[in-house]
Amino acid sequence: MTFSFPVQEYPDRYERALGAVRMFLRTEWDPIGVGHVPQCYCEYDSYAPGLARMILNGLPAEHIEAQLRDVLARMNLDNDHERARLAQIVPALLDRVAR
């Protein structure tokens, strides 16, 4: 997937979005339950840049959910409960980044 958001032209906006996504992944998503452990605060950071760019490019919630489902599948955690939870929390992520 190609992302067209010009990070170099809007570094502040990208950094705010990236920070919001990182915090969301650790505090709201946290599928393995380590977000409260200080040594694990960076556990999901590798997913944040791609998600931030997807959101800044205006991709809909369904695309964000699909990306996170793919991550869950790689963790062997893709199940009905996690899919339902994503449908509930991804709109909150989009709202958080939009602020």
Side-chain angles (χ1 to χ4, degrees):
M1 183 173 291
T2 303
F3 301 111
S4 61
F5 181 79
V7 173
Q8 289 78 13
E9 292 179 39
Y10 302 100
D12 292 342
R13 185 171 178 210
Y14 175 71
E15 287 302 320
R16 280 193 306 275
L18 186 60
V21 171
R22 282 182 175 147
M23 182 63 73
F24 170 84
L25 293 175
R26 183 169 56 86
T27 61
E28 304 294 323
W29 184 53
D30 191 21
I32 60 174
V34 297
H36 65 284
V37 179
Q39 295 86 345
C40 298
Y41 281 179
C42 63
E43 181 67 27
Y44 309 116
D45 282 0
S46 65
Y47 310 121
L51 289 168
R53 285 190 174 120
M54 290 174 76
I55 295 166
L56 291 171
N57 276 299
L59 290 165
E62 295 81 22
H63 284 50
I64 309 306
E65 287 177 36
Q67 183 71 19
L68 290 170
R69 277 195 314 271
D70 182 56
V71 172
L72 288 170
R74 285 183 267 143
M75 294 178 171
N76 292 319
L77 296 173
D78 188 21
N79 56 57
D80 290 340
H81 171 75
E82 288 297 330
R83 279 187 230 119
R85 200 165 78 80
L86 281 175
Q88 291 176 340
I89 64 174
V90 166
L93 170 61
L94 297 176
D95 182 55
R96 188 178 292 180
V97 172
R99 288 187 213 151

